[in-house]
């Protein structure tokens, strides 16, 4: 028999931001997912040792049957409160199709799958990036970004990124914003919400790898940040926790920047 327990599902649950998000939900059941079962098990055990009510399952978020397994796993655990989608790759991957597929196509697959089990008070919080704000609106690619599973969607967007995986990342993250706009009414019909969070430079292993590849650019960004520091995973996690809570009950279809104010100062760098 199912129990009503308001599960919090976190993709990228083995990552720095995913773990920080999990730690803000001390009194709720948490379900972690990531690509590797080994990483999931390790992260689940760490949080269990800290007293959290947590379980986990591996999931390739680009694979529909894997996502179906994840949704079934969540359903078996009880009622669904929130999807916190932190999984993704950066432009350091150097594979444009992979960046587009993991960061945007998979996001739509998850939105569609979790909509099926969403109910009153459920929420999807999708991690985008401050770099989404560096991509201007343009009908020439926005329609493709809003419909990433459509035929020729990738090919259309690919024409605008000059073969640069970092720029493809920015475009894919703009697409995440557009998906939240596109799905706000659909989720709203279930009295559920969908929002995005756009972190700036957050000191996670992924960001540190980017810093190694672009040290001068990263130093410039830090200097241009009004708060004169990089973000910590907890800076994002606290905002995510607020968005999941009933305190954010009238917030949907919108984005919150968590970037120390820097994007307004560096847009002309891109």
């Amino acid at each position: 028999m199912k129990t009503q327990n308001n599960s919090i599902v976190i993709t990228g649950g083995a990552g720095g931001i995913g773990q920080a998000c999990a730690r803000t939900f001390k009194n709720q059941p948490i379900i972690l997912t990531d690509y590797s079962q080994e990483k999931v098990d390790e992260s689940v055990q760490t949080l269990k040792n800290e007293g959290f009510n947590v379980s986990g399952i591996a999931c390739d978020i680009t694979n529909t049957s894997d996502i179906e397994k994840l949704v079934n796993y969540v359903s078996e655990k009880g009622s669904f409160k929130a999807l916190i989608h932190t999984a993704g790759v950066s432009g350091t991957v150097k594979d444009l199709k992979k960046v587009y597929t993991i960061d945007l196509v998979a996001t739509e697959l998850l939105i569609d799958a979790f909509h099926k089990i969403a109910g009153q008070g459920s929420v999807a919080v999708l991690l985008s990036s401050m770099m989404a704000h560096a991509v201007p609106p343009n009908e020439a690619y926005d329609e493709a970004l809003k419909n990433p599973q459509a035929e020729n969607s990738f090919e259309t967007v690919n024409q605008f990124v000059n073969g640069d995986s970092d720029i493809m990342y920015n475009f894919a993250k703009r697409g995440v914003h557009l998906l939240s706009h596109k799905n706000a009414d659909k989720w709203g019909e279930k009295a559920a919400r969908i929002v995005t969070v756009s972190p700036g430079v957050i000191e996670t292993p992924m960001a540190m790898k980017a810093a190694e590849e672009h040290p001068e650019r990263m130093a410039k960004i830090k200097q241009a940040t009004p708060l004169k520091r990089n973000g910590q995973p907890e800076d994002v996690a606290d905002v995510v926790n607020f968005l999941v809570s009933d305190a954010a009950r009238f917030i949907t279809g919108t984005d919150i920047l968590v970037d120390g104010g820097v994007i307004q100062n560096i847009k002309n760098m891109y």
Side-chain angles (χ1 to χ4, degrees):
M1 188 172 120
K2 291 182 183 178
T3 54
Q4 296 304 303
N5 64 6
N6 286 332
S7 295
I8 308 290
V9 184
I10 304 175
T11 73
I17 292 176
Q19 289 276 292
C21 288
R23 286 188 170 91
T24 69
F25 294 101
K26 190 72 178 181
N27 299 313
Q28 280 175 272
I30 303 160
I31 297 170
L32 297 185
T33 185
D34 214 302
Y35 187 77
S36 152
Q37 187 66 53
E38 188 182 345
K39 293 274 187 194
V40 170
D41 292 344
E42 193 178 298
S43 302
V44 164
Q45 195 54 55
T46 298
L47 288 168
K48 274 187 174 173
N49 292 345
E50 294 173 24
F52 288 89
N53 177 4
V54 58
S55 60
I57 181 174
C59 178
D60 174 357
I61 59 171
T62 66
N63 182 302
T64 51
S65 61
D66 252 28
I67 291 174
E68 191 178 339
K69 275 186 217 165
L70 171 63
V71 171
N72 288 340
Y73 181 86
V74 173
S75 297
E76 285 303 311
K77 292 282 182 183
S79 65
F80 161 66
K81 170 63 178 175
L83 167 68
I84 301 169
H85 178 37
T86 80
V89 293
S90 71
T92 58
V93 167
K94 306 299 181 199
D95 179 332
L96 278 71
K97 187 72 178 279
K98 192 171 184 180
V99 170
Y100 194 77
T101 303
I102 293 174
D103 288 346
L104 186 55
V105 177
T107 300
E108 183 166 58
L109 293 176
L110 286 163
I111 291 168
D112 291 347
F114 276 91
H115 175 262
K116 291 171 187 169
I117 61 168
Q120 183 171 355
S122 296
V123 57
V125 181
L126 315 170
L127 257 69
S128 178
S129 165
M130 71 173 180
M131 296 314 304
H133 292 268
V135 181
N138 189 324
E139 286 180 12
Y141 49 71
D142 277 353
E143 197 59 32
L145 290 172
K146 266 194 293 193
N147 299 285
Q149 296 180 74
E151 194 178 354
N152 297 324
S153 172
F154 169 76
E155 289 74 14
T156 299
V157 176
N158 198 35
Q159 296 171 50
F160 296 91
V161 302
N162 304 318
D164 187 320
S165 56
D166 287 320
I167 297 175
M168 179 60 86
Y169 171 85
N170 301 349
F171 272 71
K173 291 301 188 178
R174 171 166 173 76
V176 174
H177 288 180
L178 296 176
L179 286 178
S180 80
H181 304 161
K182 172 182 163 182
N183 284 278
D185 284 336
K186 187 177 171 185
W187 280 64
E189 286 164 8
K190 289 190 157 191
R193 300 180 292 114
I194 183 166
V195 290
T196 59
V197 173
S198 291
V201 178
I202 307 297
E203 290 185 353
T204 64
M206 190 166 91
M208 293 305 96
K209 187 176 178 187
E212 284 170 19
E213 293 201 3
H214 309 287
E216 286 181 19
R217 189 168 84 183
M218 299 303 280
K220 275 186 189 173
I221 291 173
K222 190 173 183 178
Q223 188 54 39
T225 304
L227 294 179
K228 294 292 182 274
R229 69 174 179 88
N230 292 331
Q232 297 300 316
E234 292 74 19
D235 294 324
V236 178
D238 287 343
V239 173
V240 169
N241 182 275
F242 161 70
L243 288 170
V244 169
S245 78
D246 289 341
R249 59 192 171 272
F250 204 52
I251 300 175
T252 194
T254 194
D255 179 65
I256 296 183
L257 268 164
V258 186
D259 70 333
V262 73
I263 192 62
Q264 302 308 325
N265 292 344
I266 64 168
K267 273 185 181 176
N268 63 357
M269 286 171 63
Y270 295 91

